[in-house]
Amino acid sequence: MKITSVKSRILSYDMEEELGYSQQYYNRRTAHLVEVRTDDGLVGWGECFGAGSFALGNKAIVEQVLAPLFIGEDPLDREVLWHRAYKMMRDHGQKGMPLESLSGIDIALWDIAGKAADLPLYKLLGGAFRKELPVYGYGMMLKRGDDLPRRFHDEALGLKDRGYIGLKMKVGIGPREDIKLVEAVRDALGPDGMLMVDANHAYTATEAFVVGKALGELDVEWFEEPVAPEDRDGYRFLTSKLDVKIAGGETEFTRWGWRDLLEGRGVDIAQPEVCAVGGVSEYLKVLSLAHTNFIPVINHVWGSGVAIATNLHLLAAMPDLPGAMRPVQPILECDTTPHMFQDEILTEPLDIHGQVAERGVARIPEKPGIGVEIDLDAIKRFEIA
């Protein structure tokens, strides 16, 4: 079996409501899928992290830089091909867009491997420790206006009874304003509701310490990306000084970047993003590093149904982290804001939110590969490049 083509499919649509996080506001949804075809007729799908203009930049890397290294090769030689591509890129990009692009191709190769073996991805990874996963929903995105605490409160109330194990909210306006936002959501959830707070590296370490102290008092489960990913000393300071757990890593790449973060105890919870870290192949190495250092892994999940399906398999195949009577169990992150690419590009929707509302958990796909098929008519409808 040989690879015959590697193609990027950039999808986009205008959103009905502008949403934001600490770094920007946006009004378009974008997804970057990677389609890999073989001479046996098998088609694998992957996804690259990075929206907007970054998706267009990644398209150039996928098709002009990486595709020539993969076309004509056996798609089952995933590890050989990964290292060949990384070695070629090492002098020009050990992090960022080159790794995001490689991630999309690697995921597609694992999808092909599952289809070739007629097995779901979790079987290729060694089997499923669980066939269902609790799901936490993230919403409460930043919006313009001076009534944000009330809007966050009302949104949290609406999400509270839909079956999610917990909710995650955004902050990043400023320390005092952000604490008021968290207080509003905590009021909506009540004292026992599981609440996570994501800053998208909005603060200096000093500001993050002030916010983190308040989050500890508000019984927040974790404080995500409090400072810039380059500020390793800031992460170590916060993990050593705060009661609230520090989570991060969605913007970290490869086992080498993660080695420094984990061995330095920069996070209490590791959040690798499979569509950025280097794909499934590299994710598995990062997972091993995290568990070697007894640090729980809760995957960062952002993107279309392709990314969600891939993460369902990864979390199913994740061993319990040892060290307690009730070991840390994986949970799935899922966007609760309107997102057409979660289901409308699939021939059979995953319907994570419907599963959660009905049963409180999401099932692991059982079909070969990542377990979803792409609706090519929908792709054509949304495709911009």
Side-chain angles (χ1 to χ4, degrees):
M1 183 165 52
K2 302 295 181 184
I3 297 170
T4 56
S5 69
V6 177
K7 184 176 181 180
S8 282
R9 313 293 291 261
I10 309 296
L11 315 179
S12 185
Y13 70 89
D14 292 327
M15 297 160 53
E16 292 185 1
E17 181 182 28
E18 182 185 55
L19 299 174
Y21 59 103
S22 67
Q23 304 302 319
Q24 66 170 331
Y25 289 88
Y26 58 95
N27 55 20
R28 290 184 65 84
R29 285 277 189 192
T30 308
H32 179 184
L33 304 187
V34 176
E35 176 189 37
V36 177
R37 293 186 173 269
T38 73
D39 59 0
D40 278 8
L42 294 179
V43 181
W45 290 91
E47 183 162 357
C48 304
F49 191 59
S53 59
F54 294 103
L56 296 173
N58 283 338
K59 175 182 174 69
I61 297 172
V62 167
E63 295 187 345
Q64 298 178 34
V65 178
L66 293 175
L69 301 176
F70 287 83
I71 292 174
E73 301 294 334
D74 186 338
L76 301 184
D77 291 342
R78 296 180 301 276
E79 196 73 16
V80 173
L81 295 174
W82 193 99
H83 280 272
R84 180 184 299 169
Y86 183 77
K87 181 179 179 181
M88 189 274 294
M89 295 191 300
R90 176 178 276 126
D91 290 348
H92 308 286
Q94 300 160 20
K95 297 178 182 288
M97 293 169 65
L99 268 297
E100 294 167 354
S101 301
L102 180 55
S103 297
I105 297 175
D106 182 81
I107 294 169
L109 296 188
W110 279 91
D111 190 29
I112 288 171
K115 291 172 178 174
D118 196 29
L119 292 171
L121 175 58
Y122 72 77
K123 283 287 189 183
L124 300 186
L125 301 177
F129 289 88
R130 57 200 64 82
K131 291 295 186 72
E132 299 175 332
L133 286 164
V135 181
Y136 79 83
Y138 83 80
M140 283 71 72
M141 303 286 290
L142 300 184
K143 301 171 185 178
R144 301 185 195 275
D146 56 7
D147 61 345
L148 204 52
R150 179 189 60 79
R151 296 175 72 177
F152 270 31
H153 180 277
D154 293 348
E155 184 177 351
L157 276 179
L159 293 171
K160 179 179 177 180
D161 297 323
R162 286 174 52 182
Y164 305 106
I165 193 172
L167 296 179
K168 186 167 78 177
M169 60 177 288
K170 297 292 189 182
V171 293
I173 301 172
R176 291 182 179 178
E177 296 87 346
D178 291 336
I179 292 170
K180 292 178 182 177
L181 291 178
V182 180
E183 288 172 341
V185 175
R186 171 51 75 201
D187 180 68
L189 290 180
D192 299 324
M194 184 180 181
L195 173 60
M196 291 74 78
V197 174
D198 186 0
N200 293 108
H201 48 87
Y203 308 121
T204 65
T206 302
E207 292 170 333
F209 178 77
V210 173
V211 175
K213 290 287 285 185
L215 299 188
E217 293 171 1
L218 290 165
D219 199 24
V220 166
E221 184 71 19
W222 73 68
F223 188 12
E224 185 170 330
E225 273 206 309
V227 296
E230 299 94 333
D231 187 6
R232 296 294 173 81
D233 288 340
Y235 270 100
R236 286 189 289 269
F237 168 73
L238 295 171
T239 56
S240 67
K241 298 296 183 182
L242 291 175
D243 293 329
V244 65
K245 293 187 286 290
I246 301 299
E250 70 184 74
T251 52
E252 192 51 82
F253 303 87
T254 75
R255 74 200 83 164
W256 298 287
W258 272 96
R259 176 194 60 194
D260 297 338
L261 182 62
L262 294 169
E263 292 180 354
R265 310 302 290 188
V267 291
D268 300 303
I269 297 172
Q271 296 177 301
E273 166 58 69
V274 68
C275 299
V277 72
V280 174
S281 298
E282 198 67 2
Y283 166 90
L284 296 173
K285 299 174 179 65
V286 170
L287 174 63
S288 294
L289 278 173
H291 281 193
T292 299
N293 286 278
F294 290 91
I295 294 176
V297 173
I298 299 178
N299 294 0
H300 179 267
V301 184
W302 181 91
S304 77
V306 172
I308 295 170
T310 302
N311 277 280
L312 283 167
H313 288 278
L314 296 177
L315 295 170
M318 183 189 295
D320 291 347
L321 179 64
M325 182 180 294
R326 294 185 177 87
V328 175
Q329 294 287 328
I331 55 178
L332 176 72
E333 174 180 18
C334 201
D335 188 350
T336 64
T337 64
H339 196 328
M340 296 174 71
F341 297 149
Q342 286 184 344
D343 283 320
E344 291 197 27
I345 63 170
L346 305 179
T347 58
E348 295 182 18
L350 288 167
D351 190 24
I352 299 296
H353 304 297
Q355 291 188 57
V356 169
E358 180 182 351
R359 305 173 62 249
V361 292
R363 292 180 294 271
I364 310 305
E366 293 290 344
K367 292 183 177 180
I370 63 173
V372 295
E373 292 297 331
I374 302 301
D375 183 338
L376 294 178
D377 290 333
I379 293 293
K380 292 175 183 177
R381 193 167 78 248
F382 292 115
E383 191 167 19
I384 61 170

